[in-house]
Amino acid sequence: DTGIMTFVNHGCDGSANMGEIGVDDVVTEMTADVAAMPRTHGRISEGSIHHVAVDRHLNQFISGGDYSMRDIKAGEEMLNNYLGFSSDAENWENYVKQLRGWCTGTTK
């Protein structure tokens, strides 16, 4: 993928400056309950996870529609909340732990 989102990294503990407009249910890797993926997570909700049209285009669905959440200055890194890319409740715990590791410097 050669889109602009190719160059966006994870923003640790709420430091993301890119994301979904109008989404105020933001959970960070530090505040997430590792035992339970939220029923509503950005645009992804329990009802949309197994929707046939969404399933066919899940990568586009979960990575499209992100915008700058504030002015981004020249040279500033673009950061997103990677938890928004997780739609798999089975792997939620591992995904949260991996992001926590990245943010604390305990996982590469």
Side-chain angles (χ1 to χ4, degrees):
D1 180 12
T2 58
I4 192 72
M5 295 305 287
T6 302
F7 305 104
V8 176
N9 289 316
H10 176 66
C12 294
D13 202 16
S15 64
N17 54 23
M18 301 284 295
E20 298 176 62
I21 291 179
V23 173
D24 58 4
D25 63 341
V26 177
V27 175
T28 72
E29 74 287 337
M30 296 305 190
T31 62
D33 178 358
V34 296
M37 181 176 169
R39 287 180 160 298
T40 302
H41 189 52
R43 284 188 309 270
I44 301 294
S45 67
E46 215 172 19
S48 66
I49 289 175
H50 299 292
H51 188 281
V52 175
V54 172
D55 284 349
R56 283 190 208 127
H57 305 286
L58 188 59
N59 288 337
Q60 289 174 311
F61 187 76
I62 63 176
S63 64
D66 287 345
Y67 302 92
S68 62
M69 304 304 286
R70 59 175 176 75
D71 287 340
I72 300 173
K73 297 181 180 11
E76 184 179 358
E77 188 172 11
M78 294 191 312
L79 303 170
N80 203 325
N81 181 354
Y82 278 14
L83 283 180
F85 299 119
S86 177
S87 63
D88 181 6
E90 284 182 29
N91 294 311
W92 175 256
E93 181 177 352
N94 291 332
Y95 195 62
V96 171
K97 286 180 178 179
Q98 180 182 31
L99 289 175
R100 283 182 183 172
W102 290 354
C103 293
T104 58
T106 58
T107 303
K108 295 185 185 219

